[in-house]
Amino acid sequence: MGQVIETKAKGAAQVAHKGKAASRLTAEDLRKLLPLGEILDGDCIEAMRSLPDNSVDMVFADPPYNLQLGGDLNRPDGSHVDAVTDDWDHFDSFRAYDEFTRGWLAEARRVLKPNGSLWVIGSYHNIFRVGATLQDLGFWILNDIIWRKTNPMPNFRGTRFTNAHETLIWAGMGEKSRYTFNYRAMKTLNDELQMRSDWVLPICSGAERLKENGHKAHPTQKPESLLYRVMLATTNKGDVVLDPFFGTGTTGAVAKRLGREWIGCERESKYRRVATARIEKELPLDESAITTMQAKRSAPRVAFGALVEAGYVKPGTVVFDKKRRWEATVRADGSLVSNKQDGSIHALGAKLQGAPSCNGWTFWHFEDGNEIKPLDAARDLYRLATED
């Protein structure tokens, strides 16, 4: 790693173990010690030990799932399923996995601020063990979120139900900690309905899936829309987000887009290389060409916020009615602002017209190259891309 980052890490490590002396440092002092925007090389527990106490606002962790699968898993066409034989996912026993889990969670707790929060994602193989350990360490579970995949991998062996979801645990530092939750942003993101704890999002696929030489760069790359929602809900602009299992950098890419600071830990040089290139380029999600369109009556409900999360309508986009009487700017949580008035696509449209209601999907338009399209066109693209 570079000399500057090495120096920062050493300085932070010294501060991290000075006890009361570290607690007298200001928030700005601690921030200067952090290797912001850098991927720390090596084992995540050792890497986190280089960070000072109480210096991070949120930890998002996607640890090894310890899948406990014997041998290879192949699709009916004979192709190999990734992620079931990788060395980094293998542990000799449940005890070894539990010790590893306790180690990284203890470091996560140390570096988190008193009002910070932790997110961890897993499958049935590991999430219950992780949940028990984080409770033993003093974390307070705020929600368990079910990420229901719109396009899960089929069960090729046909011996169990298809695994169509993963579980995220969101936890605060204690029962009375004052964690961040941007309730209004989540409600606006969901078309003025309370955001529920079951999230229907597609897995990472298509143009978002990073590849090298025609092969997946990482077998378990998470979709950016998932991190977008997590970050928008539980952090604020300028907050520091730590990812101990950085992989190909989804957390860093989304953090950069939303104006959050990030730190990653990753021991695999291949993943560090891919993540660095990805974040530097800030690759946008690809909008596929329309081949077929669903009838509106049979189409699944889509919140405008889902389009913003996935990048189909980007924050900062200027939208307008067809006659260009009004203009509004799209914000990160899916709300619109026009002069001093704001609201959802429907509420603001009704407000500006002095009408009792408004269908924002057809009222608001945007420029797509040389074309002017209604927001409904972006919704159709999103539906097409997330179909099974």
Side-chain angles (χ1 to χ4, degrees), residues 118-170:
L118 167 82
W119 285 84
V120 59
I121 185 170
S123 67
Y124 70 88
H125 303 90
N126 71 322
I127 197 64
F128 304 108
R129 307 186 78 86
V130 172
T133 301
L134 66 85
Q135 285 183 309
D136 288 344
L137 290 172
F139 286 100
W140 188 262
I141 295 179
L142 301 168
N143 274 118
D144 63 328
I145 303 292
I146 300 300
W147 167 30
R148 185 159 68 86
K149 303 171 183 179
T150 60
N151 47 347
M153 181 185 297
N155 187 302
F156 297 113
R157 289 175 175 168
T159 57
R160 304 182 186 180
F161 296 108
T162 296
N163 295 320
H165 78 276
E166 292 184 31
T167 301
L168 296 95
I169 295 175
W170 176 37

Side-chain angles (χ1 to χ4, degrees), residues 40 47 195 200 220 227 235 279:
L40 304 181
M195 185 71 76
V200 181
T220 61
L227 272 296
T235 64
I279 295 168

Side-chain angles (χ1 to χ4, degrees), residues 8-273:
K8 273 191 177 182
K10 287 178 181 177
Q14 291 169 358
V15 170
H17 295 96
K18 284 183 179 177
K20 292 182 180 180
S23 67
R24 289 198 293 269
L25 291 175
T26 66
E28 188 57 34
D29 290 334
L30 285 174
R31 197 178 183 89
K32 289 176 181 177
L33 290 169
L34 293 174
L36 301 178
E38 297 293 336
I39 308 172
L40 304 181
D41 185 3
D43 173 78
C44 69
I45 297 174
E46 289 301 318
M48 283 193 283
R49 284 176 181 156
S50 72
L51 304 177
D53 296 352
N54 308 324
S55 58
V56 169
D57 296 285
M58 188 186 84
V59 171
F60 180 88
D62 183 10
Y65 285 9
N66 193 25
L67 292 178
Q68 309 135 41
L69 297 176
D72 292 343
L73 179 61
N74 297 308
R75 300 180 178 87
D77 64 3
S79 59
H80 179 65
V81 177
D82 295 322
V84 299
T85 57
D86 292 290
D87 290 340
W88 49 258
D89 192 55
H90 285 183
F91 292 82
D92 292 336
S93 63
F94 284 129
R95 180 178 179 179
Y97 186 77
D98 292 345
E99 289 174 354
F100 168 73
T101 299
R102 179 173 287 273
W104 74 258
L105 278 173
E107 281 304 305
R109 185 168 179 83
R110 181 186 64 78
V111 301
L112 275 166
K113 295 177 181 177
N115 294 326
S117 67
L118 167 82
W119 285 84
V120 59
I121 185 170
S123 67
Y124 70 88
H125 303 90
N126 71 322
I127 197 64
F128 304 108
R129 307 186 78 86
V130 172
T133 301
L134 66 85
Q135 285 183 309
D136 288 344
L137 290 172
F139 286 100
W140 188 262
I141 295 179
L142 301 168
N143 274 118
D144 63 328
I145 303 292
I146 300 300
W147 167 30
R148 185 159 68 86
K149 303 171 183 179
T150 60
N151 47 347
M153 181 185 297
N155 187 302
F156 297 113
R157 289 175 175 168
T159 57
R160 304 182 186 180
F161 296 108
T162 296
N163 295 320
H165 78 276
E166 292 184 31
T167 301
L168 296 95
I169 295 175
W170 176 37
M173 293 291 280
E175 183 179 1
K176 296 181 180 179
S177 63
R178 296 172 61 86
Y179 53 88
T180 295
F181 179 52
N182 298 316
Y183 168 80
R184 169 50 58 185
M186 288 297 97
K187 189 172 181 182
T188 307
L189 195 68
N190 198 38
D191 274 0
E192 295 302 323
L193 295 174
Q194 285 190 342
M195 185 71 76
R196 293 161 41 123
S197 62
D198 53 337
W199 297 356
V200 181
L201 297 167
I203 64 173
C204 183
S205 60
E208 186 184 350
R209 169 67 75 172
L210 300 177
K211 294 185 178 182
E212 283 196 324
N213 301 319
H215 300 286
K216 294 176 184 176
H218 194 290
T220 61
Q221 182 182 337
K222 295 299 182 289
E224 292 186 0
S225 58
L226 183 70
L227 272 296
Y228 188 107
R229 188 173 296 185
V230 165
M231 244 175 265
L232 199 66
T234 57
T235 64
N236 296 310
K237 184 177 180 181
D239 280 357
V240 178
V241 179
L242 168 67
D243 187 336
F245 309 94
F246 201 61
T248 53
T250 303
T251 298
V254 175
K256 184 176 179 181
R257 186 175 307 151
L258 290 177
R260 277 68 168 163
E261 301 286 357
W262 61 269
I263 303 168
C265 305
E266 179 53 57
R267 71 183 190 184
E268 302 288 339
S269 60
K270 170 188 171 183
Y271 298 154
R272 292 197 304 274
R273 183 182 71 252

